[in-house]
Amino acid sequence: MDTNIKTASLRLGILLSGRGSNFLAIARNIREGCLPGVEIAVVISNVADAPGLAAARDMGLETALFISKGRPRAEHDADVLACLQAHRVDLVCLAGYMRLLSPGFIAAYPNRILNIHPSLLPAFPGLEAQTQAFDYGVRITGCTVHFVDEHLDHGVIVLQRAIPVLDTDDTRSLSERILAEEHVAYSDAIARVASGKYEIVGRRYVKRTMD
């Protein structure tokens, strides 16, 4: 099934809940010309004092705030969707967005929502993946960029980056080294999607070498 995005300029909608370090890495790569044909259309947060939202404002980017606490999920997601559509967003990037998306949200952007997870999926889904990996005693871990579907940390994998778990690591050092890989992997995945040279076959992201 060919569900890839074909657009002259890929407009990103960034969703974040905290510091947004992956958002900052993406913004830096766009600014430095490492992601040609990609722009950030809007940065949205569900947390009023999210540092990432403040950073986006300082950059002069379009921002929006939709407080999620105490609101029905579908109602909140409908507001976020309306904002994304108003800003003509092509690809949604979750950058530390601490909410599960509703089925209606995912249906509105099929295979057009990216997430990054700090493990080599399908190993260690969910919260504190780095601690899970460390406690399990694996010798290799890393990060995964995947399309979002209706299940937690489950969608089609776009790319993965692996690192060894060192004997000198603790959970903090391992998390920091995984995060450094995330900052590279997310922009690489966006570039792959922006190229349009791929197709999704079953659960596999397949790079297309010829059109």
Side-chain angles (χ1 to χ4, degrees):
M1 179 173 60
D2 184 359
T3 57
N4 60 316
I5 299 171
K6 301 179 180 71
T7 179
S9 178
L10 191 72
R11 293 174 59 82
L12 305 182
I14 308 287
L15 271 57
L16 56 83
S17 300
R19 59 180 176 171
S21 70
N22 273 303
F23 149 63
L24 295 173
I26 293 166
R28 180 178 65 251
N29 285 328
I30 291 174
R31 185 172 63 248
E32 294 176 355
C34 301
L35 283 170
V38 176
E39 61 181 313
I40 296 174
V42 65
V43 178
I44 301 172
S45 182
N46 65 315
V47 178
D49 59 354
L53 188 64
R57 289 170 178 153
D58 290 344
M59 294 178 195
L61 296 171
E62 292 288 329
T63 63
L65 172 65
F66 298 100
I67 302 294
S68 58
K69 188 174 182 179
R71 297 188 66 198
R73 184 179 305 278
E75 180 182 291
H76 174 266
D77 282 5
D79 286 345
V80 176
L81 269 175
C83 182
L84 293 169
Q85 292 164 349
H87 286 87
R88 296 178 288 110
V89 165
D90 302 303
L91 181 68
V92 180
C93 296
L94 309 184
Y97 190 60
M98 304 305 293
R99 285 179 59 80
L100 293 175
L101 301 178
S102 63
F105 191 117
I106 295 167
Y109 280 91
N111 289 322
R112 291 190 292 152
I113 306 171
L114 284 180
N115 183 47
I116 191 159
H117 184 74
S119 78
L120 298 177
L121 292 173
F124 312 120
L127 297 175
E128 299 183 347
Q130 307 95 320
T131 300
Q132 291 183 59
F134 185 83
D135 290 347
Y136 198 88
V138 298
R139 305 309 300 169
I140 297 173
T141 187
C143 61
T144 303
V145 185
H146 64 96
F147 288 115
V148 174
D149 65 11
E150 292 82 3
H151 306 287
L152 177 66
D153 298 329
H154 176 267
V156 171
I157 291 170
V158 178
L159 64 83
Q160 294 178 306
R161 289 178 66 90
I163 62 169
V165 181
L166 307 176
D167 291 338
T168 55
D169 271 327
D170 55 22
T171 54
R172 180 175 179 178
S173 65
L174 182 60
S175 297
E176 289 173 349
R177 294 197 300 113
I178 292 173
L179 185 61
E181 297 301 317
E182 290 183 39
H183 293 168
V184 176
Y186 218 150
S187 289
D188 284 353
I190 291 169
R192 291 188 183 192
V193 173
S195 75
K197 296 180 180 179
Y198 69 94
E199 57 187 335
I200 295 174
V201 182
R203 280 196 48 83
R204 294 181 61 83
Y205 168 98
V206 179
K207 184 178 180 180
R208 221 172 28 214
T209 56
M210 296 180 63
D211 290 328

